[in-house]
């Protein structure tokens, strides 16, 4: 008798949950009522995983509004499987409030229950609340599986996967002598830790020699911040979402509070001297919804363009081959919205403009002249380089002048991102999501796009930037400028930071925090599972990500061969997307990937274990 069919999913956080949901949706048509053992492996709670776990500070928020978070597919997702609708986070909270959905942990957690009672669509939920939603989605997905599927949860780390390319795979778990046997394995590992690179090792060694504090790149919620002393200067490198978490935990997390737009310190805060390559924080989340006509996307950078790029004799270069088409796509979203929603700021016939825009080569002088003639005010034209690097070429005579300039920049960004009169910005945001959905078809295209997307589309909630302004005015946060550099002064035994934005200005501190996630690197991964996969022949991309077939997520070896029985989805792969969950009705690239992998897995299982009636 052959072994019972089995599928192992390693990682039961949001991405693993999304895969389970797609398995449940596709199983009736592709797998029927055949038996299946579904093994879900994760040391953290299923659904929420590590990042959205319950035991973290309630001060930490999502960077998305509740109405913009869903784990369920709709008819905008490019997938072959059926749509299975479900509530977005705000609708789920309303269902819990009104008794249509039972949430046991909300009943047992007064703070969580209070947040559910007041949550509305445009609120930014805590990560703990998102975790509760994800755990419910997981339970919902498991309940939707056919009765013939038996789910086994294993709360342990996976250490290694072994087995022949054409045979059963063995998943070795910590604390378990016998490995799990499965016909195929899907890795949905989420964000992973990476060991320090040469620079970070040198900075840590310097800190050890001089009794300093150095916190290397890490998830801020997992960092021990107690070593950062009150009232002392701390150099912070990074102004993205990790910095926002750091800011919150070192201010409100130490007893500070906000009153009438001003920060009232507790006296336990350090002084944060913060800089980065850009020198400004990520752009604020847009605070309004789209009204009226939605730009028809994709238009210039869709599946056909991806196929053309993929079929070229040499791999496409992002800056040379991809970026011009991305810019044209984002420009189209911007100008389509400008013409349809704000025609008073244009000076051309829309149909004629769009015809000429379509014919012009990306990045050409012809295209620039067309835009200049049709959009009289330069402020209404889309300048992606200026958006990306607002401090480039700017110099200030003093640190004080820089503080005022960065505060003015943040205030202007907040005003614009909450003004529907500039709804072309929201159209560009939708364009960014559309572009990501196309780029995943090409595999790993490098870090430049991902960094730009995160800066422009995945920034902090507006209220967080208003808090940052208050902290800046209170002197708790001081900006360093763009192109921030850090050096270790052996003679003085301190870290020293500088920036080209304020020539000659230097800041010294006995503490340095790298406020960013660790960059992936095959040789430095702290995941024993990923490390052994590389040792066994799995390939890495140029960006240090696990190489996979962008079509169905099969892991690719160094000879370029997709593995028959090993798949991977998520940010640790070369087919990473903008996130495991998404805004409703925006395509959800991760959902499409989940669907493709789930269908491939079910068809493989059916082939390996044919029913006599097949």
């Amino acid at each position: 008798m052959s072994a019972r069919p089995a599928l192992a999913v390693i990682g039961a956080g949001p991405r693993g949950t999304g895969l389970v949901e797609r398995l449940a949706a596709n199983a009736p048509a592709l797998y029927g009522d055949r038996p299946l053992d579904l093994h879900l492996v994760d040391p953290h709670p299923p659904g929420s995983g590590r990042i959205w776990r319950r035991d973290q500070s309630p001060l930490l928020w999502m960077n998305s509004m509740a109405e913009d978070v869903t784990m369920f597919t709709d008819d905008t997702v490019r997938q072959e499987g059926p749509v299975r609708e479900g509530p977005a986070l705000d609708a789920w909270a309303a269902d819990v409030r009104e008794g249509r959905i039972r949430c046991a942990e909300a009943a047992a957690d007064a703070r969580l229950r209070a947040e559910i009672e007041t949550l509305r669509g445009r609120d930014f939920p805590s990560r703990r609340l998102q975790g509760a939603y994800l755990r419910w989605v997981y339970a919902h997905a498991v309940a939707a599986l056919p009765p013939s599927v038996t789910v086994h949860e294993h709360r342990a780390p996976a250490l290694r996967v072994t087995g022949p390319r054409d045979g059963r795979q063995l998943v070795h778990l910590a604390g378990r002598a016998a490995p799990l046997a499965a016909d195929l394995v899907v890795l949905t590992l989420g964000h992973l830790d990476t060991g320090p690179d040469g620079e970070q090792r040198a900075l840590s060694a310097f800190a050890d020699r001089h009794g300093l504090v150095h916190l290397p790149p890490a998830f801020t919620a997992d960092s021990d911040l107690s070593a950062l002393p009150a009232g002392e200067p701390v150099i912070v490198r990074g102004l993205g979402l990790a910095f926002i978490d750091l800011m919150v935990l070192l201010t409100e997390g130490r007893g500070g509070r906000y009153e009438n737009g001003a920060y009232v310190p507790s006296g336990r805060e350090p002084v944060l001297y913060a800089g980065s390559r850009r020198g400004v924080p990520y752009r604020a989340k847009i605070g309004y919804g789209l009204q009226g006509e939605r730009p028809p996307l994709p238009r210039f950078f869709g599946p056909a363009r991806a196929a053309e790029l993929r079929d070229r004799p040499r791999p496409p270069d992002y800056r040379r081959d991809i970026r011009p088409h991305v810019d044209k796509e984002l420009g189209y979203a911007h100008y389509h919205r400008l013409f349809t929603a704000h025609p008073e700021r244009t000076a051309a016939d829309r149909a004629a403009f769009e015809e000429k825009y379509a014919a012009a080569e990306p990045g050409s002088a012809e295209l620039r002249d067309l835009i200049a003639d049709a959009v009289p005010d330069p402020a209404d034209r889309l300048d992606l380089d200026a958006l990306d690097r607002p401090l480039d070429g700017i110099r200030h005579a003093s640190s004080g002048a820089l503080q005022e300039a960065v505060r003015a920049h943040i205030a202007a960004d907040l005003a614009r991102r909450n003004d529907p009169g500039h709804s072309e910005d929201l159209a560009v945001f939708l364009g960014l999501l559309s572009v990501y959905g196309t780029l995943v078809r090409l595999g790993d295209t490098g870090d430049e796009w991902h960094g730009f997307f995160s800066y422009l589309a995945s920034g902090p909630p507006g209220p967080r930037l208003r808090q940052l302004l208050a902290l800046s005015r209170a002197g708790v946060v001081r900006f360093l400028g763009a192109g921030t550099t850090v050096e270790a002064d052996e003679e003085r035994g301190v870290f020293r930071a500088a920036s080209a934005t304020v020539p000659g200005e230097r800041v010294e501190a006995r503490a340095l925090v790298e406020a960013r996630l660790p960059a992936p690197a095959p040789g430095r991964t702290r995941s024993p599972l990923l490390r052994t996969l590389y040792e066994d022949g799995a390939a890495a991309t140029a960006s240090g990500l696990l190489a996979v077939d962008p079509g169905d997520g099969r892991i690719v070896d160094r000879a370029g061969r997709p593995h028959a029985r090993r798949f991977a989805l998520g940010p640790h792969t070369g087919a990473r997307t903008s996130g495991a969950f998404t805004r409703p009705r925006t395509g959800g690239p991760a959902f499409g990937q989940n669907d493709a992998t789930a269908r491939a897995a079910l068809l493989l299982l059916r082939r390996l274990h044919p029913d006599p009636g097949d």
Side-chain angles (χ1 to χ4, degrees):
M1 180 181 294
S2 63
R4 181 178 165 93
L7 164 61
V9 178
I10 304 176
R15 201 60 194 266
T17 295
L19 179 66
V20 173
E21 189 278 330
R22 288 290 84 199
L23 289 168
N26 284 286
L30 299 185
Y31 196 70
D33 59 358
R34 294 168 175 78
L36 176 65
D37 284 327
L38 178 57
H39 296 280
L40 300 170
V41 179
D42 199 317
H44 300 284
S48 54
R50 171 187 174 187
I51 302 300
W52 308 98
R53 64 188 186 272
R54 184 184 294 113
D55 60 335
Q56 61 181 301
S57 171
L59 295 172
L60 297 176
W61 298 352
M62 299 189 73
N63 68 321
S64 296
M65 293 185 287
E67 67 184 17
D68 291 340
V69 178
T70 188
M71 283 286 290
F72 293 96
T73 58
D74 55 46
D75 59 11
T76 67
V77 179
R78 299 173 195 162
Q79 62 181 23
E80 292 187 50
V83 169
R84 293 284 181 88
E85 295 183 350
L89 177 53
D90 64 325
W92 172 83
D95 285 342
V96 173
R97 265 196 316 272
E98 295 165 18
R100 292 186 293 271
I101 287 177
R102 183 175 180 275
C103 179
E105 62 186 280
D109 186 328
R111 188 161 188 163
L112 191 64
R113 179 69 194 186
E115 185 177 359
I116 290 174
E117 289 294 334
T118 60
L119 186 77
R120 297 300 181 265
R122 296 199 178 280
D123 293 333
F124 290 91
S126 70
R127 291 186 197 163
R128 296 177 75 247
L129 180 56
Q130 168 69 351
Y133 171 64
L134 292 170
R135 288 186 288 276
W136 176 83
V137 173
Y138 168 79
H140 180 83
V142 168
L145 290 164
S148 57
V149 177
T150 302
V151 175
H152 308 269
E153 295 179 1
H154 304 274
R155 295 289 292 274
L159 302 178
R160 185 169 187 171
V161 175
T162 60
R165 292 180 61 86
D166 58 352
R168 285 206 129 194
Q169 304 296 291
L170 300 177
V171 181
H172 302 261
L173 306 184
R176 177 185 169 116
L180 303 176
D183 294 291
L184 64 152
V185 176
V186 184
L187 276 61
T188 53
L189 300 176
H191 294 281
L192 299 172
D193 291 324
T194 304
D197 60 15
E199 180 194 20
Q200 296 302 317
R201 288 195 299 271
L203 289 170
S204 290
F206 170 77
D208 290 343
R209 285 195 302 274
H210 295 278
L212 311 180
V213 177
H214 172 236
L215 299 183
F219 296 93
T220 307
D222 294 338
S223 297
D224 181 7
L225 305 180
S226 62
L228 302 176
E232 294 295 319
V234 174
I235 295 171
V236 181
R237 192 154 49 171
L239 279 167
L241 297 180
F243 166 77
I244 296 296
D245 287 350
L246 181 77
M247 173 192 92
V248 170
L249 294 174
L250 291 176
T251 54
E252 285 183 284
R254 291 193 175 185
R257 67 186 191 279
Y258 297 90
E259 291 184 1
N260 302 319
Y263 181 69
V264 181
S266 67
R268 298 166 55 204
E269 304 88 347
V271 180
L272 304 179
Y273 287 84
S276 66
R277 288 176 299 166
R278 293 184 180 91
V280 295
Y282 283 10
R283 300 282 174 165
K285 279 287 186 179
I286 293 175
Y288 55 85
L290 187 71
Q291 302 296 320
E293 187 176 349
R294 180 186 289 258
L297 301 169
R299 177 67 173 82
F300 298 102
F301 191 68
R305 178 66 65 187
E308 185 270 324
L309 290 167
R310 195 170 55 240
D311 292 343
R312 291 183 179 182
R314 60 178 180 175
D317 173 78
Y318 175 77
R319 186 162 283 275
R320 181 191 64 234
D321 303 318
I322 298 173
R323 171 72 189 269
H325 300 291
V326 170
D327 287 1
K328 189 171 183 181
E329 182 83 337
L330 297 179
Y332 173 73
H334 176 97
Y335 296 114
H336 179 276
R337 183 64 183 177
L338 202 65
F339 272 93
T340 56
H342 313 290
E344 71 281 359
R345 288 150 55 193
T346 66
D349 176 74
R350 172 188 165 189
F353 172 83
E354 291 199 350
E355 181 180 354
K356 293 177 181 177
Y357 189 94
E361 284 296 313
S364 65
E366 177 190 2
L367 187 60
R368 290 192 296 272
D369 291 343
L370 172 67
I371 293 168
D373 289 342
V375 183
D377 188 346
D380 288 329
R381 302 170 197 161
L382 182 63
D383 187 337
L384 293 171
D385 289 333
L387 275 173
D388 190 28
R389 303 286 178 169
L391 296 187
D392 273 12
I394 294 176
R395 301 291 180 265
H396 290 284
S398 68
S399 175
L402 171 64
Q403 308 313 306
E404 293 180 5
V406 175
R407 286 196 292 266
H409 166 85
I410 296 171
D413 181 59
L414 277 167
R416 178 165 178 136
R417 304 286 271 191
N418 286 280
D419 180 5
H422 287 289
S423 64
E424 64 271 25
D425 294 354
L426 181 51
V428 171
F429 170 80
L430 297 174
L432 289 162
L433 294 179
S434 177
V435 166
Y436 226 134
T438 299
L439 282 175
V440 297
R441 296 167 177 259
L442 297 174
D444 184 18
T445 55
D447 291 330
E448 182 178 341
W449 160 257
H450 187 71
F452 176 68
F453 176 91
S454 299
Y455 166 71
L456 199 57
S458 190
R464 286 300 195 211
L465 289 180
R466 284 188 278 275
Q467 291 175 348
L468 177 57
L469 287 174
L471 291 168
S472 174
R473 290 190 292 266
V476 176
V477 172
R478 295 188 63 81
F479 302 107
L480 291 170
T484 298
T485 60
V486 174
E487 61 181 22
D489 187 328
E490 287 283 1
E491 184 176 343
R492 291 179 54 79
V494 294
F495 296 109
R496 184 179 295 109
S499 163
T501 311
V502 187
E505 185 82 11
R506 300 287 186 272
V507 172
E508 294 183 352
R510 295 180 58 78
L512 168 65
V513 178
E514 306 285 6
R516 62 185 188 276
L517 296 179
R524 293 186 283 108
T525 179
R526 285 183 168 155
S527 165
L529 173 60
L530 203 55
R531 185 170 58 249
T532 54
L533 282 176
Y534 287 130
E535 291 170 355
D536 291 343
T541 70
S543 300
L545 300 164
L546 181 65
V548 298
D549 183 330
D552 60 12
R554 292 176 191 266
I555 297 174
V556 175
D557 67 14
R558 287 192 282 273
R561 300 176 302 168
H563 199 288
R565 300 194 180 209
R566 296 179 186 175
F567 301 73
L569 297 165
H572 65 290
T573 74
R576 59 184 171 180
T577 67
S578 54
F581 41 82
T582 191
R583 176 181 287 216
R585 304 203 60 75
T586 56
F591 297 168
Q593 290 178 327
N594 294 344
D595 188 74
T597 299
R599 293 176 67 85
L602 291 168
L603 290 171
L604 175 58
L605 287 164
R606 181 171 177 165
R607 180 174 62 80
L608 293 173
H609 300 275
D611 189 90
D614 287 346

